[in-house]
Amino acid sequence: MVKRAEVYARGSFTIESACVMSLILTVLIGTLYLCFFVHNRAWLTAAAYEAALAGSMEGIRTEGRMQETAETRSRELGNIGFFGAENLSVQVSSGKSVKVSYSADTISDFGGFSWKLKTEGASKVIQPAEWIRKAKALKDIADRE
């Protein structure tokens, strides 16, 4: 004969697991969205630095088009490799250095949250041959003394 207390104990386990399962799923989905956010931020930061470097390398040429090169490269890199983001925009500025900035909104069906994602990368325009000559000249001066 089954005791009445054992029947209630089996039913209470089902109710407790149903209540705890919603909390577990909430944490699991939140962690998944956070992983996508971190992945997108890392991807766009790397894309910003790569586009800025491409623009700064173009800047050492006599008729180099830093701004156009950086914009083209940033559009190419911004269209691939990341998930769950919308309204991606890119801004490029050039001068003595090239600066590329991305901004995007993350998509979230979970709780109505929307995170703003902003990253930027910059690279100076340097003349590598001149810089190496200056470094060698300083080394020669230091060796004489």
Side-chain angles (χ1 to χ4, degrees), residues 49-93:
Y49 277 108
E50 187 174 334
L53 185 61
S56 69
M57 288 190 311
E58 186 70 24
I60 62 172
R61 296 184 182 180
T62 55
E63 293 182 19
R65 296 185 174 102
M66 296 185 299
Q67 182 104 9
E68 292 84 9
T69 303
E71 285 175 356
T72 303
R73 191 68 181 140
S74 63
R75 272 188 252 111
E76 289 172 2
L77 293 170
N79 289 331
I80 56 172
F82 62 100
F83 314 103
E86 58 186 13
N87 301 329
L88 179 68
S89 64
V90 63
Q91 215 174 9
V92 178
S93 62

Side-chain angles (χ1 to χ4, degrees), residues 3 28 47-48 63 75 79 92 107 109 119 135 141 145:
K3 295 182 182 178
L28 186 66
E63 293 182 19
R75 272 188 252 111
N79 289 331
V92 178
I107 298 170
D109 298 330
T119 62
I141 291 171
E145 295 176 358

